[in-house]
Amino acid sequence: MIKSFLKDAIIYTLPTILSRGITIFLLPIYTRIASPEELGALDLFLVFGNIVALTIALEISQGIARYIPELSDVKQRLAYSSTGLYFTLFMYALFFIIAFMFHVELNYFITGKSEYAQYFQLALMHIALHGFFYYFQNQLRFEGNSVGYAIVSVFYAASNLASVFVFGIAYDFGLTAILSSMNVSGLLASLLGLFMLRKSLGFVFKPYLLKQLLIFSIPLVPASMLVFVSLYVDRVMINQMIGLEAVGQYGVAVRLASVASLVMIGFQMAITPLIYKNYNEPETPQSLSLIFRYFVVFAVFFFLTYSLIIEELLVLFTTPDFYLVSNIIPLLVLALFFSNMYVFMPGIGIRKKTYLIVFISLVSAIINIVLNYFLIPIFEILGAALATTIGHFIAFLCFVFFSQKLYFVPHKWLGFLLLFFAASSFVYLYFGYFVEFNYLQTLFVRLILILILIALTFKLKLITALELLNIKNAVMKKVNR
């Protein structure tokens, strides 16, 4: 399992770094061709798009993910995949027709401002096209075609960057440029994904397979909606309590924090199919423990290092309208990690206890809403970041509790806690006491904090020099093939 994980993690991570890296380079363009208020409207459009993605197709991709890895018969795999695709196509087509008819009313409900109705039409096209791209992208991953997944992901990001450069910089179309580039890249990447899956899809639709897929996936829809509330209620409440401009500033902070997904993505994409395929093997719990330990060390170091350089990154990638979000980005990095670390706690999925996911998501959503309601009026967007981080942390603790009961994996929890506490304390101290020092002084402080964390990691035996050497050798061996 470890060898397969390393292979897939490398294949998923390298192109994802490239594709997400390209996406980061969109930020300087976005912040220069659109105002904070326009970016706030864009963020709310994307929030609505995520609601659609979670509900319209009834999470049928999750059903595909559950059954495809276990099937060896090519015809069966094709039948499952094709049935899911035609259902997705029908549901998105129905959504687009109805939503387009009521786009004026929907836009006002979402943004509170009628002048964004024309932009919302473009946003509806993006939502539908992205739904197809998401299906094809996931299908490649579930089939274990990590190279194909990498190709379509990089192509989507590259075509998006090229389009927004042409529409935004060359023709100065503003928010129209951003939405139009999303549509161009979504269409082209979907066609590429369909071409790469041409042998895995056919003119096959089996109602009994659709029923089987939906029996598994429909119970996940309420849970997914609750997860959505935890992830995006902050922006909705910021809009209601502060305004669209604050949503735009918060959205830029989220985009910069999302660089943390580069740390997460290789682990996340590679590990889920491997767990479902190998969970009955006796060595799997120990392998999962090792992978999670490496992830925690890597994630904590990323959190500290990225937090210490975030002010320079804001100057590089944004304009002065967005510099004030530097203190909330570390919190959002933590929120991103906590919201995705459930993949290392597979007990609920393995035992098919999906009702527990609904319970956890409900708890997290309630906490998030309540904390946002009380903290945003006091701390503004910092309050939203605090609420989001606390909500996701509590949800992760719930996943740990239930997963360990259903599928026990030995972990070094005390060491993880001490390392996380140290890194969080360092970030707090830096922003509270050292950030106003001159550049050379802050550079020295940052270096000392990182060295202390390295020493603590080895002291807690969360990683050893020999393990680092083995990881390096394994990575170089895979890369050089």
Side-chain angles (χ1 to χ4, degrees), residues 36-156:
E37 182 177 294
E38 288 176 328
L39 291 180
L42 173 66
D43 260 24
L44 293 179
F45 291 158
L46 297 179
V47 167
F48 176 73
N50 285 319
I51 295 176
V52 174
L54 293 173
T55 55
I56 290 300
L58 300 177
E59 287 281 69
I60 199 167
S61 286
Q62 297 300 319
I64 299 290
R66 183 64 186 91
Y67 292 107
I68 283 287
E70 297 178 347
L71 297 173
S72 56
D73 184 84
V74 175
K75 290 184 178 180
Q76 273 192 308
R77 292 167 71 99
L78 185 145
Y80 272 95
S81 302
S82 301
T83 299
L85 173 61
Y86 292 128
F87 177 77
T88 301
L89 178 63
F90 172 78
M91 295 302 288
Y92 270 100
L94 183 64
F95 154 75
F96 182 79
I97 292 169
I98 296 174
F100 202 84
M101 291 170 59
F102 298 98
H103 73 276
V104 174
E105 294 82 359
L106 279 171
N107 165 73
Y108 189 80
F109 175 76
I110 293 166
T111 65
K113 296 196 173 184
S114 58
E115 57 262 36
Y116 290 102
Q118 60 177 334
Y119 300 114
F120 186 61
Q121 292 177 321
L122 292 172
L124 290 175
M125 294 176 62
H126 162 69
I127 292 167
L129 289 169
H130 193 267
F132 301 134
F133 169 70
Y134 179 75
Y135 186 89
F136 296 137
Q137 188 184 43
N138 279 336
Q139 183 67 33
L140 288 166
R141 179 162 68 97
F142 301 149
E143 290 186 356
N145 188 351
S146 48
V147 174
Y149 176 92
I151 291 172
V152 298
S153 299
V154 172
F155 180 80
Y156 178 87

Side-chain angles (χ1 to χ4, degrees), residues 127-364:
I127 292 167
L129 289 169
H130 193 267
F132 301 134
F133 169 70
Y134 179 75
Y135 186 89
F136 296 137
Q137 188 184 43
N138 279 336
Q139 183 67 33
L140 288 166
R141 179 162 68 97
F142 301 149
E143 290 186 356
N145 188 351
S146 48
V147 174
Y149 176 92
I151 291 172
V152 298
S153 299
V154 172
F155 180 80
Y156 178 87
S159 59
N160 193 10
L161 178 62
S163 300
V164 80
F165 184 83
V166 172
F167 296 144
I169 302 299
Y171 290 100
D172 193 24
F173 286 168
L175 183 55
T176 300
I178 298 174
L179 290 165
S180 297
S181 66
M182 289 179 175
N183 291 336
V184 170
S185 57
L187 175 61
L188 295 178
S190 295
L191 292 174
L192 177 61
L194 181 60
F195 174 77
M196 299 184 74
L197 290 164
R198 63 193 182 280
K199 295 182 179 179
S200 302
L201 299 168
F203 297 103
V204 179
F205 183 82
K206 303 286 187 182
Y208 73 92
L209 291 183
L210 177 62
K211 181 180 178 181
Q212 184 181 5
L213 291 169
L214 293 178
I215 286 173
F216 179 84
S217 69
I218 286 177
L220 298 176
V221 173
S224 296
M225 282 301 299
L226 291 169
V227 170
F228 161 82
V229 171
S230 299
L231 287 171
Y232 297 107
V233 70
D234 46 9
R235 270 152 280 195
V236 175
M237 296 183 75
I238 288 171
N239 185 42
Q240 295 297 319
M241 296 182 177
I242 307 175
L244 267 181
E245 183 173 339
V247 177
Q249 292 169 336
Y250 190 81
V252 167
V254 171
R255 285 180 175 87
L256 281 169
S258 69
V259 175
S261 63
L262 299 180
V263 178
M264 190 79 215
I265 198 73
F267 291 90
Q268 188 176 23
M269 295 297 183
I271 202 168
T272 302
L274 289 174
I275 289 173
Y276 283 138
K277 186 177 180 180
N278 299 290
Y279 68 88
N280 283 321
E281 300 296 328
E283 69 273 10
T284 296
Q286 196 61 45
S287 297
L288 184 57
S289 173
L290 182 66
I291 293 169
F292 183 60
R293 177 158 56 88
Y294 290 164
F295 167 77
V296 169
V297 171
F298 195 36
V300 169
F301 271 92
F302 177 88
F303 162 67
L304 176 62
T305 306
Y306 194 67
S307 299
L308 296 179
I309 64 170
I310 196 59
E311 289 191 311
E312 288 87 345
L313 293 177
L314 278 166
V315 173
L316 181 63
F317 287 106
T318 70
T319 61
D321 288 335
F322 302 95
Y323 292 170
L324 56 84
V325 302
S326 61
N327 63 334
I328 72 169
I329 292 176
L331 286 169
L332 293 173
V333 168
L334 289 179
L336 187 145
F337 281 138
F338 290 140
S339 68
N340 288 281
M341 281 164 52
Y342 69 89
V343 297
F344 296 104
M345 304 297 145
I348 295 173
I350 289 172
R351 305 304 177 201
K352 300 179 182 177
K353 306 288 186 180
T354 52
Y355 65 89
L356 290 174
I357 299 176
V358 177
F359 170 74
I360 294 171
S361 303
L362 178 62
V363 170
S364 176

